Amino acid sequence: RNTSVNRRKQAAIPTRDNQRYFDLEAEPPRSKLLAFSFAHVTKKKNYNFSHFKSDARKENDARRGLDELMQELSRHTLLELRGRSKESFGGFERIPRARIHFHPSWNFPEDENVWIFRFKSSDYRMLCIKDKKREVLYIIGFDFDFSAYDHGS
């Protein structure tokens, strides 16, 4: 009997040969994965979710798109994301702070770049400031109508 119990216990232990194996060493260390802060989102209604006012359907669609983006970003290191084009899901571009058309609730340095991630089929943008020491993105606002910054010509 002890032999059959031991076999069942051994069969339940994940191995490289069965499907339940999860190699933690293959995963990036948690300190290298991105984290997000909403503490500094602007109070300007055009550049936060108040933009949608009474259109709950559009707001829910935007929130779902943001959720998908954040899930994607939080699965990868910044080094991995840098290899993507700005148009691809999870890709980004950086622009000078001077190009944004609103004042964030956080007074970050003028020479700081704003990181922009597209979501909801590139219809919307999330604007962030990257912490200089840690893998944290401080979300400062959203662009739901292409008015948050100079998009170039």
Side-chain angles (χ1 to χ4, degrees):
R1 277 195 166 155
N2 286 343
T3 306
S4 66
V5 171
N6 287 339
R7 282 188 193 143
R8 273 187 268 146
K9 283 184 181 177
Q10 286 177 342
I13 297 170
T15 66
R16 291 187 191 275
D17 298 330
N18 73 27
Q19 298 294 1
R20 295 182 303 173
Y21 181 80
F22 183 74
D23 186 0
L24 289 175
E25 292 176 9
E27 288 291 306
R30 290 211 181 276
S31 63
K32 298 290 183 187
L33 296 175
L34 285 171
F36 306 92
S37 170
F38 285 86
H40 303 291
V41 174
T42 184
K43 294 186 182 358
K44 296 276 186 181
K45 293 181 179 182
N46 283 350
Y47 307 113
N48 64 37
F49 276 88
S50 296
H51 168 85
F52 296 104
K53 295 178 185 145
S54 61
D55 196 338
R57 186 187 61 75
K58 280 188 176 180
E59 180 179 350
N60 287 337
D61 282 349
R63 288 185 186 274
R64 267 193 301 280
L66 178 61
D67 183 53
E68 290 170 6
L69 174 66
M70 293 179 76
Q71 285 182 42
E72 176 68 13
L73 296 179
S74 64
R75 288 184 187 119
H76 300 280
T77 65
L78 203 49
L79 185 62
E80 292 169 330
L81 295 173
R82 286 179 197 257
R84 299 181 184 186
S85 72
K86 69 181 184 179
E87 292 87 8
S88 66
F89 190 58
F92 63 91
E93 63 182 307
R94 289 181 284 185
I95 64 169
R97 176 184 173 172
R99 284 183 52 191
I100 64 172
H101 299 155
F102 65 90
H103 294 286
S105 63
W106 174 33
N107 192 18
F108 59 92
E110 287 292 328
D111 64 344
E112 192 76 46
N113 282 328
V114 176
W115 296 46
I116 300 173
F117 295 85
R118 298 172 184 211
F119 66 102
K120 189 76 173 76
S121 301
S122 292
D123 291 341
Y124 303 141
R125 311 288 196 273
M126 175 176 73
L127 287 76
C128 309
I129 300 298
K130 163 78 173 62
D131 189 290
K132 289 187 183 283
K133 296 179 183 171
R134 300 175 297 158
E135 300 300 304
V136 176
L137 292 174
Y138 298 100
I139 300 166
I140 60 168
F142 298 93
D143 191 357
F144 298 116
D145 61 3
F146 303 102
S147 68
Y149 64 96
D150 176 15
H151 288 260
S153 32

